Amino acid sequence: MSDLFSEDFVGALTSLRIEARRVPRGGRHAEHHAREPGSGIEFRDYRAYTPGDDVRLVDWRLYRRFERLFLRLLDEVRDLPCYVLLDTSDSMWLDDARRSTAARQVAAVLAAVSLNQLDAVSIHPFGADLGASSGTVEGKRGLHRVLGFLEALEPAGRTDIRTSLGKFARLPQRHGLVVVVSDFFDDAGLDAVWQAVRGLRHRVALVRLVAASDRDPTIDGELRLEDCETGSTVDVTVTDRVLTRYRAAVAEFEQGIEQIAARRGATLLEVDIDRPVLPQFAGLFPDGVLRV
Amino acid sequence: MTFLGIGPWAVVGVLAAMAAALYALHHLRVRPAVQRVPTLLFWRRAIEESTARHLFARFRHPRTWAMLVALAAAIVLALADPTSGDGRRRHRVLVVDTSDAARATRDGAPALDALRDAARTWLDDVPLGDRVALVASSRVVADFDVPRPAVRERLDALTASGASVARSVDVARSLANGRSRADVTVFAVSGPPVDREGVAWVAMRTDRGARAIGAVEFADALRVRVDASAADEARRLVIRPDAGDAVSVDVPACAAAGGAWLTVPGVPADGRAVTVALEPADATPHDDVARYHLPDHRPRAVRVDASLAAVRWLVDADPRLVAATDGTPAALVVRAATGGPTVDAGVRLHVAARPLADAAATHRLPRLEHAVASLDTGAGDACLTGGDAVLARIDRTSTPPTLTLASDLFADDGARVLRRAAVAGWLARTLHDAAGVVDGAVVARVADDTATVCAIDTAGRAVPRPIAVADAAGDARIAFVGAPLSAAVGEDSAAPSPSGGGFRPWEWLALIALAIAAVDAALHLRRRIP
């Protein structure tokens, strides 16, 4: 274990759960209850027999009592593949990689929770393009593999969320839960974010990493601001008026992300990179469960 | 068009250098601190309305651009103060008294030394853009085109010659006339005279023991100013002409310091030279004697072309004048109808009926001043040409000397008014330089579209009178109107201080522009990083 993922951090993850409203068909036996009955071991209900039903499910004891055929319906328990799309662009590594650290911790939390639930997890870093993934990790013991993968991540250039998520969408993946962990600072703006998120054929959760300095920068005077990803610069005289317009732009951006999440039916989580990630996540999981 | 006496190309060069300097300053300006940010998305939105950091970003809005250009133009105008022709550059004529009175002592040293010192101080205060001429001993010691250091050297080399300061003042007035924004400043031991209009007079008293002849004037009669620095006994003032009987008047005892004008009756204005003396002489006899040339107010004749309407106007307008032929069919002699004999005063004004030297009808005078300088031969003929046409000629070899003007100058063409004025200015200098030929001056006034050519006067105390008036309407007239020289100049030539006061309009504009720039800079600095 490293400083990034301490024993305490990993240990605290076991109490969290992700609960999906719908689970994709197929897959492995896990802990997510499917909406339709299946071949599990827990009894759910009876249903009158109709021709064509599997006669193996007929409850013969009821037939003996009522002389009518009933089927025993059992719960279907499946896994929920979890795909974590992790932003590793240069902006995430600015200021001692605070944003990247928080993002990787978020990814670790999601991976740990999923692995605890016997779900399959894969981490897909992206920046200017979709990077090499961690591969599918299964089983609780796979967490160390995920953590090792997260530790080894490097800056991946500028953010091109549309290209990256577009490539992911074209991968032959079983439907599952896609969690996009990013600051969503794409130079192409919110339109690119919407185009990227819209193309994902999965359950989607957006984890936006925010910093207090994003909303309320503590700079003043004449500055040459340099985009850490593109290198482009803007000379600005920071005045109260400019700051007011800046805050308005940030608020508009945040509102835009919320609208994108709402239109897409995605869960939107915000993680403050200036605070410890785990307590924030505990707060985002009511009763320890995050329903997506 | 001149800019503080600098040529247009020099101005262009200066502006180019300024532009280069501004461009360099723009790139060498203090660079702002660099701050790396995760994204510029929000900053671009925040500053898209206020960004003006690039060289031309400030000029995106036409109104701003127009205002900046206007401000820059106002500043350039104020700095350059553009003028046309002689323009704003002042012509300063410095007159130093080198009369006998200057030989007296002042604080134990020759008074001339004190005059020179005062004149040097005055000269140092004259702005460099102004042109200075030095007049002393009734002659032009240094003309306007003489460099300032040379003027200073010639000033230092002045010696007392005994010439009347009044005559020097006349020379200075003649020199100043025809120039715009001209003034005359006199440093003299005596004076000022009664008629000092248009002249700044600095009198430096000597410490002579009793009395001295301060100034000699001739208005309607001979007037002598007797200066007294202490109580003195009664004396006599004796006027001795070179030929003829002497006249004397009593000078009463004077206890108070200062001077008094004495009128000497019975001295005619006949052009003779007289010696004015206080008798008996006191401890400083050199300032008790002065030589003076009486003006010549006797009737005189001027030869003009009788076929010209202007000449007829002259004869018709002045009832004192009659026309008479002297045997030349194409000319008539105009003489004063004062009953006296017709006397040829030494100047013939001949207005030719056609352009001289087969001159073309149109004359171009783009650089008339230079043309004058190059064509004035100084001996024999002196002529002025414009383009390939002779506009004016003075024949000094003839007796009497003849002044000939091209009739084209008086044509009904308003565009030639300036040409006429230029000719008059040339005449003023040429005739003055030829002092041995013509004792007088021709001056010109140019106001709006009217040119006034002033008189040739052979009097000792010259009172130039306009002899020709031409305006844009082609109304060419020749007349004796009796206006004094300063009136003919038409500008306030009395300027005791070399430096002028007040602001011109573009200077006000520049001040406003600078104030706006200062406020803008202050607001800009307030926003800078400490």
Side-chain angles (χ1 to χ4, degrees):
Chain A
M1 289 291 171
S2 66
D3 293 340
L4 189 58
F5 306 111
S6 62
E7 293 284 355
D8 294 341
F9 179 84
V10 176
L13 303 178
T14 55
S15 60
L16 302 179
R17 287 176 53 79
I18 296 175
E19 196 172 290
R21 295 188 185 93
R22 296 184 65 181
V23 182
R25 292 177 183 276
R28 299 177 300 102
H29 178 81
E31 297 183 0
H32 294 282
H33 294 272
R35 182 175 291 180
E36 62 275 15
S39 58
I41 58 174
E42 289 186 27
F43 172 77
R44 179 189 285 186
D45 203 354
Y46 289 104
R47 176 171 65 81
Y49 174 82
T50 56
D53 284 342
D54 189 351
V55 295
R56 289 177 298 177
L57 297 178
V58 174
D59 191 329
W60 296 109
R61 275 186 276 181
L62 286 181
Y63 177 75
R64 190 169 57 192
R65 288 176 61 186
F66 300 111
E67 293 186 347
R68 289 182 60 190
L69 292 174
F70 288 95
L71 294 183
R72 286 167 56 88
L73 300 180
L74 302 175
D75 251 351
E76 177 74 4
V77 185
R78 301 174 192 156
D79 71 331
L80 175 68
C82 181
Y83 309 103
V84 180
L85 297 178
L86 182 61
D87 186 353
T88 56
S89 63
D90 289 347
S91 65
M92 305 292 288
W93 303 82
L94 192 67
D95 296 338
D96 300 328
R98 289 188 307 137
R99 213 179 296 260
S100 175
T101 300
R104 283 179 289 169
Q105 287 181 342
V106 167
V109 168
L110 294 169
V113 170
S114 293
L115 291 174
N116 272 338
Q117 298 175 194
L118 303 178
D119 294 331
V121 172
S122 59
I123 309 293
H124 300 265
F126 71 91
D129 204 348
L130 188 65
S133 76
S134 64
T136 303
V137 180
E138 298 172 345
K140 295 182 179 178
R141 292 185 179 177
L143 180 59
H144 288 279
R145 185 179 152 198
V146 172
L147 297 184
F149 178 81
L150 293 175
E151 288 267 21
L153 289 176
E154 297 286 340
R158 57 181 298 182
T159 304
D160 190 343
I161 196 168
R162 182 156 50 181
T163 302
S164 302
L165 271 61
K167 280 194 175 180
F168 173 80
R170 289 192 291 274
L171 292 177
Q173 302 276 14
R174 183 171 159 246
H175 283 195
L177 171 65
V178 170
V179 183
V180 183
V181 184
S182 173
D183 54 10
F184 299 103
F185 291 159
D186 190 313
D187 230 24
L190 285 172
D191 188 51
V193 176
W194 166 244
Q195 296 292 338
V197 173
R198 190 178 63 170
L200 297 173
R201 303 301 179 192
H202 301 265
R203 297 290 299 170
V204 175
L206 305 178
V207 179
R208 196 168 83 85
L209 301 165
V210 299
S213 58
D214 291 342
R215 290 174 172 158
D216 196 5
T218 56
I219 57 178
D220 192 14
E222 291 204 356
L223 293 172
R224 171 162 294 171
L225 302 179
E226 180 182 352
D227 192 318
C228 67
E229 292 186 359
T230 63
S232 59
T233 59
V234 166
D235 290 343
V236 59
T237 301
V238 181
T239 61
D240 293 341
R241 191 175 171 190
V242 171
L243 282 177
T244 301
R245 286 201 291 258
Y246 174 89
R247 293 190 192 101
V250 172
E252 189 178 337
F253 178 81
E254 292 177 346
Q255 195 176 2
I257 293 291
E258 290 172 5
Q259 289 175 350
I260 288 172
R263 287 177 66 185
R264 181 59 181 77
T267 302
L268 176 63
L269 305 177
E270 278 192 359
V271 173
D272 189 344
I273 65 170
D274 299 319
R275 293 191 292 139
V277 169
L278 203 53
Q280 294 185 71
F281 248 79
L284 296 172
F285 283 60
D287 302 327
V289 178
L290 175 64
R291 291 175 176 82
V292 296
Chain B
M1 180 79 66
T2 63
F3 291 81
L4 286 179
I6 307 172
W9 287 111
V11 171
V12 170
V14 169
L15 290 178
M18 288 174 61
L22 287 174
Y23 185 78
L25 286 174
H26 173 75
H27 283 278
L28 294 175
R29 72 187 192 277
V30 178
R31 298 290 179 185
V34 176
Q35 172 97 24
R36 297 189 78 205
V37 292
T39 183
L40 292 178
L41 277 174
F42 313 131
W43 289 110
R44 287 200 182 101
R45 292 283 303 278
I47 64 175
E48 61 184 2
E49 291 300 323
S50 59
T51 300
R53 303 292 306 172
H54 302 296
L55 182 58
F56 293 102
R58 291 181 187 276
F59 310 139
R60 287 176 303 174
H61 306 294
R63 195 168 48 190
T64 307
W65 169 247
M67 185 174 173
L68 285 173
V69 169
L71 290 179
I75 291 173
V76 169
L77 272 177
L79 291 177
D81 194 8
T83 55
S84 60
D86 280 344
R88 180 176 171 267
R89 179 188 303 155
R90 297 185 73 91
H91 290 82
R92 327 296 297 265
V93 183
L94 170 62
V95 180
V96 178
D97 182 4
T98 56
S99 64
D100 288 334
R103 293 194 177 101
T105 59
R106 174 185 168 87
D107 298 332
L112 184 58
D113 291 350
L115 291 175
R116 272 199 297 252
D117 291 342
R120 271 196 295 269
T121 304
W122 178 89
L123 194 60
D124 292 339
D125 290 339
V126 173
L128 288 177
D130 292 356
R131 290 186 169 182
V132 177
L134 176 61
V135 173
S137 304
S138 304
R139 64 185 180 87
V140 179
V141 178
D143 209 338
F144 289 116
D145 54 356
V146 175
R148 192 72 61 88
V151 174
R152 193 181 173 90
E153 288 177 5
R154 297 181 192 185
L155 173 65
D156 293 340
L158 288 180
T159 56
S161 63
S164 164
V165 67
R167 292 175 60 82
S168 295
V169 170
D170 292 337
V171 171
R173 281 171 157 166
S174 301
L175 195 61
N177 274 314
R179 310 273 184 179
S180 63
R181 301 175 63 83
D183 59 53
V184 177
T185 302
V186 180
F187 289 86
V189 171
S190 60
V194 175
D195 178 19
R196 53 164 293 191
E197 188 175 359
V199 174
W201 198 284
V202 180
M204 307 189 70
R205 306 292 180 190
T206 62
D207 53 2
R208 55 190 176 277
R211 298 191 176 197
I213 297 173
V216 182
E217 302 281 351
F218 193 103
D220 296 330
L222 182 67
R223 286 155 42 89
V224 179
R225 180 185 174 93
V226 178
D227 293 343
S229 59
D232 191 24
E233 61 186 6
R235 296 174 187 267
R236 291 183 62 77
L237 183 66
V238 181
I239 312 300
R240 291 193 182 88
D242 291 348
D245 298 334
V247 177
S248 65
V249 294
D250 292 332
V251 179
C254 179
W261 285 97
L262 296 177
T263 300
V264 183
V267 179
D270 54 6
R272 291 179 298 169
V274 297
T275 301
V276 182
L278 280 170
E279 293 179 352
D282 56 14
T284 54
H286 59 270
D287 58 9
D288 293 342
V289 180
R291 288 280 293 172
Y292 183 71
H293 283 270
L294 294 167
D296 189 354
H297 288 177
R298 293 170 296 173
R300 67 210 60 232
V302 179
R303 184 182 301 278
V304 296
D305 188 341
S307 65
L308 292 179
V311 176
R312 293 198 192 95
W313 185 94
L314 163 68
V315 175
D316 295 341
D318 194 335
R320 298 174 300 172
L321 303 178
V322 295
T325 60
D326 62 349
T328 305
L332 69 88
V333 174
V334 180
R335 56 191 172 192
T338 56
T342 299
V343 178
D344 194 327
V347 176
R348 289 171 186 260
L349 176 63
H350 180 82
V351 182
R354 60 181 182 274
L356 297 175
D358 298 322
T362 57
H363 308 307
R364 295 182 179 181
L365 301 171
R367 301 178 67 82
L368 186 61
E369 296 290 326
H370 297 284
V372 170
S374 62
L375 291 176
D376 188 1
T377 59
D381 272 8
C383 64
L384 171 71
T385 60
D388 54 357
V390 176
L391 301 177
R393 171 180 291 160
I394 296 176
D395 182 5
R396 295 166 177 160
T397 59
S398 65
T399 304
T402 303
L403 166 65
T404 306
L405 302 176
S407 63
D408 200 42
L409 292 172
F410 295 91
D412 295 343
D413 183 356
R416 293 174 186 143
V417 169
L418 283 178
R419 196 175 302 150
R420 287 193 287 272
V423 168
W426 173 77
L427 290 174
R429 286 199 306 281
T430 305
L431 294 179
H432 179 270
D433 291 341
V437 177
V438 177
D439 189 8
V442 176
V443 295
R445 171 191 183 185
V446 180
D448 297 329
D449 54 357
T450 302
T452 302
V453 182
C454 294
I456 303 169
D457 196 316
T458 57
R461 177 179 173 275
V463 182
R465 298 163 183 174
I467 59 170
V469 177
D471 57 27
D475 185 11
R477 301 186 294 267
I478 300 176
F480 293 118
V481 296
L485 174 64
S486 56
V489 173
E491 292 188 9
D492 181 14
S493 57
S497 171
S499 55
F503 290 108
R504 281 175 289 280
W506 45 69
E507 287 175 339
W508 279 112
L509 281 174
L511 283 176
I512 294 171
L514 288 175
I516 293 173
V519 171
D520 181 58
L523 294 175
H524 181 68
L525 286 175
R526 194 176 64 83
R527 297 195 298 262
R528 292 187 73 86
I529 298 176

